[in-house]
Amino acid sequence: MARKKIALVGSGNIGGTLAHLIGLKELGDVVLFDIAEGVPQGKALDILESTPVEGVDVRYRGANDYAEIKGADVVIVTAGVPRKPGMSRDDLVGINLKVMKAVGEGIKANCPDAFVICITNPLDVMVWALQHFSGVPANRIVGMAGVLDSARFRTFLAEEFNVSVEDVTAFVLGGHGDTMVPLVRYSTVAGIPLPDLVKMGWTTQEKLDAIVQRTRDGGAEIVNLLKTGSAFYAPAASAVAMAESYLKDKKRVMPVATLVKGGTYGQPDDVFVGVPVVLGEGGVERIVEISLDPAEQAAFNKSADAVRGLVKVASGLMG
Ligand code: A3D
């Protein structure tokens, strides 16, 4: 069986980390693409030279020409600009929209059948734009945010309870931004929902509320520490888990930004936003529609409306 081809559009902090992780897991051969000359080539060669040490057989190539992503099975997009301290993700709309146009056209011309994972911010509106420009069907284009936001929530919960991260599950829904919706009721330690753990005295409601807020601010916490860019290790790991579920048809249930059709999740019309889905060889094989209580539904609607507002801004910029 031929090896899979994975194209990484954007070879910055996340792109380089993706390339490294994909090699360690031997998920396929990697093409690193970027507009910066030398950067994708340099990272490709550096990581390639680590493969004998790691004992993995993966080919790496760096490119500045979209022809090199031809026939890719998976494309992971990080091209664009990350935020700096004091910037919100939404401040990036104008500049990253232009990038999505170029990337979408590159995908359309070279690998229209690929499974596409977008990471560029502001996430949900960039997935919408990338789908518009690439023409990739909605079941084969997703945004990575929920897996990362849930991983942050799981990290903080495992720390609070002093238990293994493996035994903490968590769901974060909605757009990737200040309005994201960490779902406390559906988050558990070994199957025990968080509200029960409060009753059991494992934590207090105040501490849980503080963890939810820290999750919402998780991206900004890293930006403020790094000062020169945003998080990249955990975002890359999250996208690799999504790519792996698709490539190996694992059918994992993961929160991703996907096209939620009007009528689903109480939405009046179509919107790209984070909900749990089954990810397998068919891409998004099913949207898992969990029931929300009135407060959760209101928070989800607010988050989806924030995405709609940004889509309107982006549509205006597209003329
Ligand atoms: P960075 O290290 O700056 O890498 C971005 C790369 O994109 C650079 O190498 C640029 O040269 C390249 N680039 C710029 N324009 C183009 C273009 N037109 N075509 C191809 N390449 C281009 O950033 P990063 O890797 O840290 O972050 C990448 C993106 O991910 C940013 O938009 C971040 O905001 C976003 N991000 C999202 C999350 C989510 O959870 C959704 C988390 C962290 C970062």
Side-chain angles (χ1 to χ4, degrees):
M1 205 200 298
R3 287 191 213 163
K4 297 295 183 188
K5 177 170 175 177
I6 302 169
L8 307 177
V9 179
S11 304
N13 280 336
I14 302 180
T17 312
L18 284 169
H20 195 199
L21 288 176
I22 288 166
L24 294 177
K25 290 180 176 254
E26 272 187 328
L27 292 182
D29 291 335
V30 175
V31 175
L32 281 143
F33 173 95
D34 206 287
I35 46 166
E37 283 179 22
V39 171
Q41 291 83 357
K43 291 195 178 184
L45 183 59
D46 189 12
I47 300 172
L48 178 69
E49 288 166 357
S50 76
T51 59
V53 182
E54 299 293 352
V56 292
D57 290 296
V58 174
R59 285 185 210 98
Y60 282 93
R61 226 176 31 242
N64 303 115
D65 181 347
Y66 274 108
E68 296 282 341
I69 72 168
K70 201 162 196 63
D73 298 288
V74 171
V75 180
I76 308 181
V77 179
T78 60
V81 174
R83 58 192 173 135
K84 303 255 161 35
M87 284 176 91
S88 85
R89 296 177 180 94
D90 299 357
D91 293 336
L92 303 171
V93 172
I95 181 158
N96 285 348
L97 188 64
K98 288 195 193 111
V99 176
M100 289 307 105
K101 183 168 191 295
V103 176
E105 288 167 358
I107 292 171
K108 190 178 219 164
N110 294 289
C111 48
D113 298 326
F115 178 63
V116 179
I117 302 172
C118 179
I119 307 184
T120 303
N121 269 322
L123 195 268
D124 306 86
V125 64
M126 289 301 123
V127 186
W128 168 83
L130 194 59
Q131 203 240 331
H132 174 84
F133 292 123
S134 67
V136 169
N139 64 312
R140 274 197 289 104
I141 182 163
V142 292
M144 187 295 297
V147 176
L148 170 66
D149 296 329
S150 304
R152 287 180 173 148
F153 196 24
R154 290 171 65 194
T155 304
F156 305 147
L157 289 169
E159 244 175 29
E160 166 66 8
F161 297 133
N162 193 22
V163 298
S164 165
V165 289
E166 277 188 71
D167 294 319
V168 181
T169 62
F171 259 125
V172 175
L173 303 189
H176 182 58
D178 305 333
T179 59
M180 72 174 78
V181 188
L183 280 186
V184 167
R185 249 173 5 111
Y186 285 101
S187 303
T188 75
V189 172
I192 309 165
L194 296 183
D196 289 2
L197 289 162
V198 173
K199 281 186 210 144
M200 287 157 62
W202 277 41
T203 187
T204 61
Q205 190 58 46
E206 291 68 39
K207 281 190 181 162
L208 196 52
D209 292 345
I211 288 174
V212 165
Q213 193 54 42
R214 188 175 177 199
T215 302
R216 284 208 182 94
D217 298 336
E221 185 176 359
I222 307 262
V223 169
N224 290 334
L225 289 166
L226 293 180
K227 297 191 179 67
T228 52
S230 54
F232 51 99
Y233 293 112
S238 303
V240 168
M242 291 163 65
E244 188 173 18
S245 191
Y246 168 75
L247 287 167
K248 296 186 177 169
D249 192 25
K250 284 173 72 85
K251 302 196 190 297
R252 291 196 60 191
V253 179
M254 299 174 130
V256 307
T258 186
L259 180 65
V260 172
K261 295 261 190 200
T264 314
Y265 268 102
Q267 293 311 294
D269 48 30
D270 297 1
V271 60
F272 272 93
V273 70
V275 291
V277 304
V278 177
L279 270 191
E281 64 176 348
V284 175
E285 297 185 348
R286 191 201 300 174
I287 289 184
V288 183
E289 193 174 3
I290 51 180
S291 75
L292 301 178
D293 67 24
E296 291 160 353
Q297 184 69 53
F300 183 78
N301 291 348
K302 188 175 162 208
S303 191
D305 284 345
V307 176
R308 283 189 184 90
L310 272 190
V311 166
K312 208 177 254 176
V313 171
S315 300
L317 292 170
M318 281 154 66

